[in-house]
């Protein structure tokens, strides 16, 4: 049986309270930075410094998770042959999606983006990050134990990663071909893990185009409410 460790607490040492003016200045700056983030589908093929990616992965690993179990694994793929295999497998699933599996309403929602089953960015971008959700863990005795709030935890960590990559000057695309079981095989991941997102990472290609409507974000009044 998996034994739970005894609770261990320590003083909060990293927190710094800031003056109200500084708080507002930082909040505005962060918003303006993230407002410049756009999903990119045309990537330059030039490589990205591995050290930069590693720091961004470390940032993702600081995300909160259920019981601090950190139920995620990030596979960084730069090998050209493996990227070609991933593109072939993803496009097969995408063909099935666009040619019958997708509801008409979904296809109408995607139409302004101009997307289809062709995914050249999976080969053109310098790297892909396959994000896996760990459904359960294995302890030192080889016993299986449950993970909790896995989708929520992996989603938060992915958000941290996208933000870190953007802050480092890189562009991203969240790609979610369905189903994604092929990623487990191509990345050599165990049965305890399920692929969640394939993140495409790199520099935007010169002359890169993005959908006009993608920059229109819902106003604050539509995305939030206050109960006072």
């Amino acid at each position: 049986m998996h034994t739970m460790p005894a609770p261990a607490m320590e003083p909060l040492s990293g927190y710094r309270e800031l003056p109200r003016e500084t708080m507002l200045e930082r909040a505005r700056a962060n918003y303006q930075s993230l407002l410049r983030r756009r999903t990119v589908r045309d990537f330059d093929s030039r490589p990205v410094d591995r050290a930069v990616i590693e720091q961004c992965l470390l940032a993702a690993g600081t995300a909160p998770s259920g019981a601090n179990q950190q139920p995620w694994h990030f596979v960084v793929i730069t090998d050209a042959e493996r990227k070609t295999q991933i593109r072939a497998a993803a496009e097969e699933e995408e063909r099935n999606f666009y040619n019958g599996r997708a509801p008409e309403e979904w296809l109408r929602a995607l139409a302004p983006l101009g997307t289809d089953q062709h995914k050249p960015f999976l080969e053109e971008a310098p790297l892909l990050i396959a994000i896996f959700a760990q459904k359960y863990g294995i302890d030192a005795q080889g016993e299986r134990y449950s993970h909790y709030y896995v989708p929520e935890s992996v989603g938060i960590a992915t958000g941290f990663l996208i933000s870190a990559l953007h802050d480092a000057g890189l562009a991203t695309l969240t790609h979610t071909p369905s189903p994604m079981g092929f990623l487990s095989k191509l990345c050599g991941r165990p049965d305890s893990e399920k692929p969640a997102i394939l993140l495409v990472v790199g520099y935007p290609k010169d002359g890169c185009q993005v959908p006009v409507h993608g920059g229109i974000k819902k106003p604050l009044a539509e995305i939030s409410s206050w109960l006072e």
Side-chain angles (χ1 to χ4, degrees):
M1 178 181 295
H2 176 64
T3 56
M4 298 298 293
M9 307 297 284
E10 64 181 6
L12 177 64
S13 59
Y15 174 76
R16 288 186 304 136
E17 185 171 340
L18 300 172
R20 190 263 180 191
E21 295 77 11
T22 305
M23 293 172 67
L24 186 56
E25 179 183 352
R26 289 191 176 195
R28 284 172 172 163
N30 186 57
Y31 166 59
Q32 290 300 322
S33 173
L34 290 175
L35 194 60
R36 291 190 294 272
R37 189 207 65 79
R38 296 297 301 273
T39 294
V40 167
R41 291 178 173 82
D42 296 316
F43 287 87
D44 193 289
S45 60
R46 58 195 167 113
V48 174
D49 187 340
R50 175 170 176 161
V52 172
I53 299 301
E54 289 177 342
Q55 289 301 307
C56 292
L57 292 172
L58 286 170
T62 69
S65 61
N68 193 32
Q69 292 174 322
Q70 304 164 55
W72 46 64
H73 188 86
F74 305 95
V75 178
V76 182
I77 303 140
T78 60
D79 176 66
E81 182 178 350
R82 198 158 308 206
K83 288 195 294 180
T84 297
Q85 293 172 342
I86 288 174
R87 178 184 177 182
E91 287 187 337
E92 181 178 353
E93 297 298 348
E94 293 289 86
R95 277 192 295 272
N96 294 332
F97 171 80
Y98 281 97
N99 296 325
R101 200 164 61 214
E104 188 61 33
E105 183 180 14
W106 196 344
L107 292 176
R108 285 197 301 270
L110 290 172
L113 300 176
T115 60
D116 57 23
Q117 66 267 30
H118 302 293
K119 309 297 178 184
F121 49 75
L122 294 176
E123 286 186 282
E124 294 171 350
L127 64 95
L128 310 174
I129 303 178
I131 303 171
F132 290 85
Q134 295 178 337
K135 298 176 287 185
Y136 56 87
I138 305 293
D139 66 16
Q141 289 72 44
E143 297 292 327
R144 179 190 298 195
Y145 61 93
S146 298
H147 280 166
Y148 302 98
Y149 298 103
V150 174
E152 296 86 349
S153 300
V154 173
I156 295 170
T158 300
F160 274 37
L161 179 56
I162 291 171
S163 181
L165 291 165
H166 169 71
D167 194 51
L170 294 168
T172 58
L173 166 68
T174 49
H175 184 46
T176 53
S178 180
M180 286 192 284
F182 63 88
L183 278 176
S184 298
K185 180 178 180 181
L186 290 174
C187 295
R189 300 312 302 165
D191 293 339
S192 60
E193 296 180 1
K194 178 181 179 180
I197 293 173
L198 184 59
L199 196 63
V200 188
V201 181
Y203 298 99
K205 188 178 292 184
D206 287 342
C208 174
Q209 298 286 303
V210 294
V212 172
H213 87 285
I216 302 173
K217 301 304 180 183
K218 293 180 179 179
L220 184 63
E222 289 188 26
I223 66 169
S224 66
S225 57
W226 292 61
L227 300 177
E228 295 182 296

